[in-house]
Amino acid sequence: MPKKVVLAYSGGLDTSIIIPWLKENYGGCEVVAMIGDLGQREDLEAARKKALATGASAAYVEDLREEFVTGYIWPTLRAGAVYEHKYLLGTSFARPLLAKRQVELAKKVGADALSHGCTGKGNDQVRFELAAKALGPELAIIAPWREWEINSREEAIAYARTHNIPVEQTTKNIYSRDRNVWHLSHEGGVLEDPANAPEESMWQWVVSPAKAPDKPATVEIGLEAGTPVSVNGKKRSPLELLSELNDIAAANGVGRMDIVENRLVGIKSRGAYETPGGTLLVAAHRELESLCLDRETAHYQQILSLRYAEMVYYGMWFTPLREALDAFFTSSQRRVTGSVTLSLFKGNVDAVSRRSPYSLYRTNLASFTMTGYNPKDAEGFINLFALPITVPIEAPAR
């Protein structure tokens, strides 16, 4: 039986009740809480004190924000990875980083087990545990949602009350949320029926497009080798850049998204996401690539982008293939340098300008004038290109 467990702790409903549950069900084992600061805009010191007050022997707040942006968000952005056309992977690539630090802390404090608050139906259990098995296979993993008799968030709330543990959730405010510097997700409540529209009161970050300013806003985003570096011509640190774009997009109603997605475990689920700055960055990056990538690379990259998105969503961050794909995208992005100006208006985003010193766009070739282009060459090209469809297909003789 484990003697010391490091719990990935958020202070939310699930992890709040796990501390006493672990002590009750694992022989009074020592529980160490690990709180990862990913820019969730919460009182993490209060969460640390709460963990101690509910039975943790120690609680650590780990500032992972810079590493999160540069080591996880930027590589996924360079890869153009979007899951099922819409989801910008805000929770998906946060979990491997949290698990990585959880394993590091476990080794530091001499723990022999890890624990998390992920449900037995969700993707996050896979993400946490794949990372743990890759980085600390000697550590046991305890997943309370796969063991205890609690079967709903209502029952979890009841457990918290009987143990005098304060939680924000109530039977009326039942949403499960996850926030970091990239996004804010919402699950549960009325979202569990795909026929229901999200409640306006559910959204907490991006202003309603109907209430956004009546005049468009413009923002210029600069990138170097596929990595964002500036806003409106001013260099910014990764955190500053993302924070500024979050504010601009959210104020203009940009970044709300509602999706029915396919979970890794085979279940369809409904989620609502707010990803303001990320929506702008994905749009700007895609537009700059259209200017700088040759056709063959751009088209082949779409295949690899899909695979990259699947791997991130499936929790396969610490794998040889994901690292190999990173090498491909590092190469393909070498000339994705320049700036894109976006126009934002009541939830809509449009590119109005694209500039790059590595642009493959040539005005003399693209214009209606024939300078630098011999139209007669097209005739032979078309004849050869059409050859397979002009050869009659005849049935074999009998």
Side-chain angles (χ1 to χ4, degrees), residues 160-379:
R161 287 174 177 166
T162 60
H163 289 73
N164 297 315
I165 300 171
V167 293
E168 292 183 2
Q169 286 83 0
T170 66
T171 54
K172 292 183 179 180
N173 178 27
I174 203 69
Y175 291 110
S176 174
R177 292 186 169 98
D178 176 73
R179 183 167 189 163
N180 56 48
V181 71
W182 182 254
H183 91 154
L184 170 60
S185 66
H186 312 268
E187 291 184 325
V190 300
L191 295 176
E192 291 188 347
D193 184 346
N196 293 333
E199 300 169 313
E200 184 58 36
S201 61
M202 179 200 71
W203 304 105
Q204 298 187 345
W205 195 358
V206 176
V207 70
S208 168
K211 296 181 179 179
D214 293 328
K215 293 183 178 180
T218 59
V219 59
E220 181 189 53
I221 298 173
L223 298 97
E224 292 180 3
T227 300
V229 294
S230 67
V231 177
N232 293 326
K234 296 180 180 179
K235 294 284 187 177
R236 293 282 187 263
S237 72
L239 278 174
E240 290 172 340
L241 184 146
L242 187 49
S243 178
E244 185 172 353
L245 291 179
N246 279 334
D247 290 343
I248 293 171
N252 285 277
V254 172
R256 290 185 179 186
M257 191 270 289
D258 178 0
I259 182 176
V260 175
E261 65 196 63
N262 288 294
R263 287 182 180 173
L264 173 59
V265 296
I267 299 170
K268 286 189 181 293
S269 66
R270 168 93 174 283
Y273 301 94
E274 300 180 72
T275 318
T279 299
L280 300 185
L281 287 170
V282 169
H285 178 257
R286 189 173 290 162
E287 293 295 335
L288 191 58
E289 281 191 323
S290 72
L291 202 63
C292 301
L293 292 184
D294 66 279
R295 183 186 65 193
E296 297 306 312
T297 300
H299 288 186
Y300 190 72
Q301 185 171 286
Q302 290 177 14
I303 300 171
L304 299 187
S305 294
L306 174 61
R307 185 67 181 120
Y308 198 103
E310 289 177 338
M311 295 193 73
V312 175
Y313 189 84
Y314 297 165
M316 301 174 68
W317 188 270
F318 299 107
T319 60
L321 177 55
R322 207 272 313 166
E323 294 175 359
L325 290 177
D326 261 354
F328 170 86
F329 286 111
T330 296
S331 176
S332 74
Q333 298 294 297
R334 286 179 300 172
R335 293 179 177 82
V336 183
T337 294
S339 65
V340 174
T341 300
L342 302 173
S343 175
L344 288 56
F345 184 63
K346 291 187 176 296
N348 296 306
V349 181
D350 296 298
V352 296
S353 175
R354 309 160 188 82
R355 301 175 186 274
S356 173
Y358 301 108
S359 172
L360 297 178
Y361 188 95
R362 296 294 181 269
T363 302
N364 65 318
L365 292 176
S367 71
F368 283 100
T369 63
M370 294 301 170
T371 305
Y373 182 86
N374 185 356
K376 293 185 180 295
D377 292 340
E379 182 177 353

Side-chain angles (χ1 to χ4, degrees), residues 35-47:
I35 304 164
D37 182 359
L38 297 175
Q40 53 264 55
R41 295 188 182 182
E42 297 173 0
D43 188 343
L44 300 185
E45 178 57 23

Side-chain angles (χ1 to χ4, degrees), residues 24 32 34 45 71 84 87 93 124 160 194-196 200 213 237 334 338 345 371 382:
E24 290 173 1
V32 176
M34 193 282 291
E45 178 57 23
E84 296 190 341
Y87 177 41
F93 48 41
D124 281 344
N196 293 333
E200 184 58 36
S237 72
R334 286 179 300 172
F345 184 63
T371 305
I382 294 170

Side-chain angles (χ1 to χ4, degrees), residues 76 79-89 282 286 305-306 309:
T76 304
V82 176
Y83 186 71
E84 296 190 341
H85 309 294
K86 298 169 75 175
Y87 177 41
L88 303 187
L89 299 165
V282 169
R286 189 173 290 162
S305 294
L306 174 61

